[in-house]
Amino acid sequence: MTFRPTRRHILAGGAALSALAFGLPLRAQSGPIRVAGIYTVPVEQQWVSRIHLAALAAQEAGEIEYSYSENVSNTDYPRVMREYAEGGADLILGEIFGVEQEAREVAADYPDTAFLMGSSFLPDGSLGNFGVFDNYIQDASYLSGIVAGAMTESGNIGMVGGFPIPEVNRLMHAFMAGVREMRPDATFQVSFIGSWFDPPRAKETAIAMIDNGADILYAERFGVSDAAAERGILAIGNVIDTQADYPDTVVASALWHFEPTLAAAIEKVKAGSFTSENYGIYSMMQYGGATLAPFGSFEGRIPQAALDLIAEREAAIRDGSFVVEVNDSEPTAG
């Protein structure tokens, strides 16, 4: 695989989706479709939880019949894909960042099954039944950075991520750009824990950053907000809103909504028009795939200058007059 998503691919709107479509459509269907989710982490994990909750909501609405497997290792992932395909799943969801090649080989063996997978790569033109998606929520991450830049006193901000892959890197860069809108002199401590779900390690890493002067943390992973709460500083959440669990700690969060992505896929499977497309666009703010969480317990505590800039930038993002840069390179400290 040599393809990587770029701004040109994901920012071109509906026309880009049509241009990236390849292959023959699958057969049309009526009634609920059978959807299977395959996840390498627990469904409580931030990123996967958004897919899982969207699928549960679609099942509740009568759109799908949903089953799933969690904590599937990368080595076991292709086997589980095959089992669901053999079992008659119409649409298989998952995240294949560690098994890109193997997953596409499985999809090639089951041309009558639709696959929609979280991936760092664009669709393969030879696989008409294999679509990809990603959490392009850089718009909301940028807005959350404006909040952080307004709330930090020292300008020293700690950032803890899972792995330095595009899906994480672009959100960190967007957050940092937002911070600099309010604090051009801000400095950043950046670290990756080498895991998607290791709260103790994330907490330990965050505490080291606090000891090194950070007074606000970017919580890309679970465990970071625990460190912030324990040490009495603030945190910015990612993908889900955890303020209810940390009412005095989590100021704002960039939220990912998988519902628009899943709805588009379900509609296409039912119509028999599911093809190899890049569904990443449905994660963007313009399509309802990303929002900035309500400030909740921090209402009235965020400087008005930041609130005014957030309102201005959000309106511009939604009407297309302001574009948050998509930077997939690994962020560095400094």
Side-chain angles (χ1 to χ4, degrees):
M1 302 296 174
T2 58
F3 298 103
R4 295 291 293 274
T6 67
R7 289 180 63 194
R8 175 176 62 82
H9 291 124
I10 66 170
L11 299 177
L17 291 174
S18 297
L20 289 170
F22 304 95
L24 297 174
L26 302 174
R27 64 190 182 280
Q29 301 184 55
S30 60
I33 65 170
R34 291 164 294 182
V35 174
I38 309 174
Y39 311 120
T40 62
V41 293
V43 292
E44 292 82 10
Q45 188 258 14
Q46 294 124 296
W47 200 87
V48 161
S49 73
R50 309 313 294 170
I51 304 170
H52 180 63
L53 291 175
L56 290 176
Q59 178 170 254
E60 182 67 22
E63 294 289 317
I64 68 174
E65 297 173 359
Y66 175 56
S67 57
Y68 67 93
S69 297
E70 59 186 335
N71 294 314
V72 177
S73 67
N74 285 339
T75 55
D76 209 26
Y77 207 94
R79 179 190 64 78
V80 179
M81 289 178 68
R82 291 183 184 279
E83 286 187 354
Y84 277 121
E86 293 284 352
D90 300 304
L91 173 64
I92 296 178
L93 303 170
E95 17 93 31
I96 58 167
F97 301 108
V99 287
E100 293 277 356
Q101 184 63 41
E102 296 90 338
R104 292 167 192 257
E105 290 172 356
V106 172
D109 291 339
Y110 297 93
D112 293 330
T113 303
F115 293 83
L116 181 60
M117 295 292 180
S119 171
S120 297
F121 297 88
L122 289 178
D124 183 337
S126 66
L127 286 176
N129 62 326
F130 192 92
V132 299
F133 68 89
D134 209 342
N135 63 328
Y136 286 95
I137 63 169
Q138 65 279 346
D139 301 326
S141 296
Y142 165 80
L143 298 179
S144 73
I146 294 175
V147 176
M151 299 296 282
T152 182
E153 295 181 3
S154 67
N156 184 334
I157 296 174
M159 306 180 68
V160 181
F163 293 91
I165 63 172
E167 293 65 35
V168 176
N169 297 344
R170 72 175 66 106
L171 306 188
M172 284 188 163
H173 279 294
F175 171 81
M176 294 163 80
V179 169
R180 291 187 178 112
E181 293 279 16
M182 303 302 296
R183 285 295 299 263
D185 63 338
T187 59
F188 300 91
Q189 302 178 58
V190 180
S191 184
F192 299 92
I193 63 171
S195 172
W196 292 128
F197 194 74
D198 191 342
R201 183 182 299 178
K203 180 180 178 181
E204 179 182 359
T205 302
I207 287 176
M209 291 179 173
I210 297 170
D211 289 341
N212 197 37
D215 70 350
I216 192 165
L217 298 173
Y218 176 73
E220 199 273 329
R221 292 292 101 197
F222 278 157
V224 177
S225 294
D226 292 308
E230 185 176 295
R231 292 297 186 91
I233 69 168
L234 302 178
I236 301 293
N238 179 60
V239 175
I240 63 175
D241 186 0
T242 58
Q243 192 185 80
D245 297 319
Y246 307 94
D248 299 317
T249 302
V250 175
V251 186
S253 297
L255 305 184
W256 181 33
H257 307 286
F258 190 69
E259 287 78 4
T261 302
L262 182 57
I266 291 171
E267 180 180 359
K268 291 174 183 291
V269 171
K270 286 189 172 184
S273 60
F274 187 93
T275 54
S276 182
E277 300 177 6
N278 179 7
Y279 284 73
I281 193 169
Y282 294 111
S283 289
M284 300 177 72
M285 186 169 281
Q286 287 178 309
Y287 289 82
T291 60
L292 186 64
F295 297 128
S297 57
F298 281 86
E299 286 284 357
R301 298 167 62 183
I302 299 170
Q304 189 60 45
L307 298 177
D308 291 344
L309 182 58
I310 288 168
E312 175 187 334
R313 289 286 194 262
E314 182 172 349
I317 289 168
R318 291 185 182 279
D319 69 23
S321 61
F322 183 84
V323 176
V324 176
E325 181 183 8
V326 175
N327 183 348
D328 288 347
S329 65
E330 182 175 344
T332 57

